């Protein structure tokens, strides 16, 4: 069985192709970026409309197969930006109709976890999902993927992008903050905001902006301190979730998890508690179609497809809204 998965929750339009043995056939994407300023939903939507056919064409070209070889089409149903989600869903519907094959809608956050399980040795991990719009600590417990902790406001990626934007850097800002942070070891105290199992970034954002405006601090020092602070918050909450669930595996996901400093901190925490840290390839930690294709296959095998005529996007779907039928 071969599945084409389409991703379009936010800035990335992706197409992935995988078979039910887990053989990766293609994972192609095109992401909306800016020189200055943040992600604008309408512009991201227009970007997706513009690149969709080419990305899908490139995926088939890379895989060396054609649309007619596909047995199933999956797409990111949510959570995400509605205008962007609609582009992916409409493309999935169009293709499913064309080849008269089943369609299935997928929860984006759960797809991050399942592709990590498929491509690493981990079995039953706590997922630290640190992406642009989402920041969640997720683990399987009592028949569902439950959220043990999450951001109360921005995703950590959006937070980093916001700080970068304020410094006049473009989108995505995370990698630019990382480069600046490498040039400093001078820690400047920032608010550290962990509330129970949740984290919050807006106060830190305001504090950072005030520090930039004051002109008293070097941007390298602020970037370094920003990373050290917010990553420590994420690692603290992930560690407590692992202790609470008695799990000894940590899996990373989301674009911010590509950050080598965050990876280093996660590995150290795991080492200290005799746990293992699993880091999938960057290509499936950032938003991608491959994870949507894989989740399509495992869900389809357990619950069948969705009805093409009344399927819709689910912009606000939560990880724990999904009935897990496949484990
Ligand atoms: P995603 O939404 O999962 O595709 O991730 C996108 C987010 O990841 C954006 O906010 C980027 O700024 C961030 N990001 C990507 N690479 C890195 C990196 N090396 N360090 C920090 N953030 C990153
Ligand atoms: Mg994501």
């Amino acid at each position: 069985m071969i599945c084409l998965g389409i991703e379009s929750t936010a800035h990335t339009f992706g197409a992935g192709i995988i078979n039910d043995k887990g053989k990766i056939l293609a994972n192609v994407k095109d992401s909306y970026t800016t020189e200055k300023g943040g992600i604008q939903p309408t512009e991201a939507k227009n970007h997706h409309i513009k690149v969709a056919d080419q990305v899908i064409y490139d995926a088939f070209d890379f895989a060396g197969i054609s649309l007619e070889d596909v047995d199933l089409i999956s797409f990111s149903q949510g959570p995400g930006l509605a205008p962007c989600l609609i582009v992916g869903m409409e493309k999935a519907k169009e293709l499913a109709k064309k080849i008269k094959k089943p369609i299935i809608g997928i929860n984006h956050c759960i797809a991050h976890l399942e592709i990590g399980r498929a491509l690493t040795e981990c079995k039953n991990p706590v997922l630290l999902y640190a992406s642009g719009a989402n920041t969640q600590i997720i683990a399987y417990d009592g028949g569902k993927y439950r959220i043990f902790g999450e951001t109360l406001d921005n995703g950590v990626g959006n937070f980093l992008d916001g700080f970068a934007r304020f410094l006049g850097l473009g989108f995505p800002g995370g990698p630019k903050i990382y480069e600046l942070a490498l040039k400093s070891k001078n820690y400047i105290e920032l608010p550290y905001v962990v509330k129970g199992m949740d984290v919050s970034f807006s106060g830190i954002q305001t504090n950072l902006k005030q520090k930039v405006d004051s002109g008293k601090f070097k941007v390298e020092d602020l970037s370094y301190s920003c990373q050290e602070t917010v990553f420590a918050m994420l690692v603290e909450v992930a560690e407590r979730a692992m202790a609470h669930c008695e799990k000894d595996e940590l899996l990373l996901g989301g674009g911010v998890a590509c950050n080598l400093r965050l990876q280093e901190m996660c590995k150290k925490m795991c080492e200290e508690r005799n746990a293992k840290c699993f880091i999938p390839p960057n290509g499936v930690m950032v938003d991608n179609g491959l994870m949507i294709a894989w989740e399509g296959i495992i869900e389809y095998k357990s619950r069948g497809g969705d009805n093409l005529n009344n399927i819709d996007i689910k912009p606000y779907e939560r990880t724990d809204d999904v009935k897990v039928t496949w484990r």
Side-chain angles (χ1 to χ4, degrees), residues 21 77 125 128 138 146 167 264 273 279 290 304 322:
K21 305 281 182 285
Q77 206 165 15
L128 169 55
I138 303 168
R146 297 189 191 273
L167 296 176
E264 186 178 45
R273 50 181 301 114
I279 305 173
L290 188 70
V322 177

Side-chain angles (χ1 to χ4, degrees), residues 11 108 112 128-136 154-162 171-175 177-178 201 226-228 230-232 234-235 251-266 279-282 284-287:
H11 44 75
H108 175 97
H112 270 292
L128 169 55
Y129 175 35
S131 80
N134 300 293
T135 298
Q136 296 183 340
N154 266 334
V156 63
N158 284 355
F159 159 79
L160 292 170
D161 295 337
F171 172 84
I177 300 293
Y178 173 77
F201 300 106
C226 162
Q227 282 198 164
E228 293 302 302
V230 300
F231 293 168
L234 298 179
V235 172
L251 174 68
L252 302 190
V256 180
C258 299
N259 186 295
L260 295 176
R261 177 60 184 145
L262 177 59
Q263 294 183 3
E264 186 178 45
M265 289 165 79
C266 289
I279 305 173
N282 281 1
V284 297
M285 287 206 290
V286 298
D287 286 350

Side-chain angles (χ1 to χ4, degrees), residues 148-176:
F148 285 87
E150 66 187 315
T151 177
L152 298 171
D153 39 51
N154 266 334
V156 63
N158 284 355
F159 159 79
L160 292 170
D161 295 337
F163 178 45
R165 186 160 70 239
F166 192 70
L167 296 176
L169 308 168
F171 172 84
K176 291 170 183 159

